[in-house]
Amino acid sequence: MADIVFEFDINATPDKVYKAVTETAGYQGWWTTNSKFTPQVGSSAEFKLKDHGREVAFMMDVTRLEPNKMVELTVRQAAPPDWPGTKLVVSLAPGEEGTHVVFSHLGFPSTGGSFGFTNYNWGFFMGSLKAYAETGHGMPYQFQ
């Protein structure tokens, strides 16, 4: 199995960062403007992007929530064939100047397939999450 992990600090409170990864408006502010998220274990989350003009939906189940500490999503459906069954985990801890974040996308079958592309894009969107939590302005995918 192969995992993607990003570890960084955000100059914002854990509560503010937690809201960015557990509320529809948060995801719309840093990942994709076409996001739906209900912060309740057992609920479904939906994120849409376009790939070469074709709508691509990422359907995930909210499998774990620990207020201001952790969010876990399990991918149920996604265009990359190696995404279903993987998990997105965002862990938060108070840091010296805000929040220490560990973002993980876990359980890829290998470093082939969409692993490299996914790793590259998560790197961009982690910068977007940081900007959104610190300034209120991220760089989400503009779904049109």
Side-chain angles (χ1 to χ4, degrees):
M1 292 290 195
D3 300 331
I4 295 168
V5 179
F6 290 93
E7 191 168 353
F8 56 100
D9 294 315
I10 294 179
N11 190 9
T13 65
D15 178 62
K16 190 169 187 178
V17 179
Y18 185 76
K19 287 178 180 176
V21 295
T22 59
E23 294 182 356
T24 295
Y27 280 103
Q28 290 173 344
W30 69 268
W31 188 15
T32 174
T33 57
N34 194 330
S35 297
K36 295 178 186 170
F37 190 96
T38 301
Q40 180 177 336
V41 173
S43 68
S44 292
E46 179 180 37
F47 309 98
K48 292 183 180 177
L49 299 101
K50 287 194 178 174
D51 181 26
H52 297 93
R54 181 178 59 97
E55 184 177 295
V56 178
F58 296 81
M59 304 296 294
M60 303 182 194
D61 297 320
V62 180
T63 49
R64 191 169 166 195
L65 293 171
E66 292 181 31
N68 298 332
K69 291 183 181 177
M70 199 263 275
V71 177
E72 179 184 273
L73 306 174
T74 300
V75 180
R76 185 170 12 98
Q77 172 190 327
D82 48 359
W83 272 49
T86 62
K87 293 184 181 292
L88 301 179
V89 179
V90 183
S91 298
L92 310 173
E96 287 184 26
E97 297 191 27
T99 305
H100 185 73
V101 178
V102 178
F103 174 91
S104 306
H105 193 160
L106 307 171
F108 282 85
S110 74
T111 57
S114 73
F115 183 87
F117 176 80
T118 301
N119 190 21
Y120 175 84
N121 282 287
W122 278 134
F124 173 82
F125 286 114
M126 290 304 96
S128 181
L129 170 60
K130 180 176 172 62
Y132 177 76
E134 291 179 350
T135 71
H137 301 285
M139 300 154 288
Y141 174 83
Q142 299 293 318
F143 188 90
Q144 297 176 15

